[in-house]
Amino acid sequence: MKSQNFTLILLVFLALSKSSSAQLNGTYTIGGTTPDYATIPAAITAIQTGGVSGPVIFNIRPGTYQGKVDIGNIPGTSATNTVTIKSENGDSTSVILTDSANALTSNFTVHIFGTDYLTIRNLTIRRPGSDASSCVFLIALNSRFLQIRNNIIE
């Protein structure tokens, strides 16, 4: 019986350790050659799953990134443990986030919901088309302490 209990405890420990993600702290790259994260959604998933244990900067490499960006609650953020998403080279024209889908329920390029202590800086954020209900940013659910700085909004 002791062997079975030990095996069960070991299996539970292994399952829990595989499902948890590490907290992020530091600077990471998105896109380009040998990035930490190939896509913006992959970086967002990692930070929302693992949270932060210090300030985090995501440097996005030059290029056009197609698709919606959904940023929800990020565990561990505070006035000290902030999250910054920005162009790697500081040029707002070199990184373009765009989405042209026209679904009424997700008619945005960047959706920020329940997110605190987030800075979005030096990007071009575009919502092409002429649909009257389209928006570039949709900010909801008591998001606080946001900075949207030095971006081109189209």
Side-chain angles (χ1 to χ4, degrees), residues 49-139:
T49 303
V52 300
S53 62
V56 173
I57 298 172
F58 287 116
N59 284 319
I60 305 176
R61 295 192 169 143
T64 298
Y65 297 82
Q66 178 70 35
K68 297 178 183 339
V69 177
D70 284 298
I71 308 170
N73 179 53
I74 301 169
T77 56
S78 67
T80 303
N81 295 344
T82 60
V83 175
T84 300
I85 300 171
K86 66 184 190 75
S87 66
E88 183 177 50
N89 61 12
D91 180 358
S92 298
T93 64
S94 71
V95 175
I96 300 168
L97 310 182
T98 185
D99 185 68
S100 58
N102 283 322
L104 211 50
T105 58
S106 60
N107 211 0
F108 54 83
T109 302
V110 177
H111 182 203
I112 299 170
F113 55 101
T115 312
D116 297 334
Y117 299 101
L118 173 70
T119 297
I120 297 176
R121 191 170 77 214
N122 300 334
L123 306 174
T124 293
I125 304 166
R126 183 179 290 161
R127 185 74 174 112
S130 59
D131 187 350
S133 63
S134 297
C135 65
V136 176
F137 281 99
L138 175 60
I139 301 172

Side-chain angles (χ1 to χ4, degrees), residues 10-59:
L10 181 61
L11 288 173
V12 169
F13 175 77
L14 289 173
L16 289 174
S17 66
K18 285 192 179 247
S19 66
S20 65
S21 298
Q23 290 183 320
L24 298 183
N25 181 4
T27 301
Y28 302 90
T29 56
I30 298 172
T33 305
T34 63
D36 295 303
Y37 298 96
T39 65
I40 297 168
I44 299 303
T45 297
I47 201 165
Q48 286 182 183
T49 303
V52 300
S53 62
V56 173
I57 298 172
F58 287 116
N59 284 319

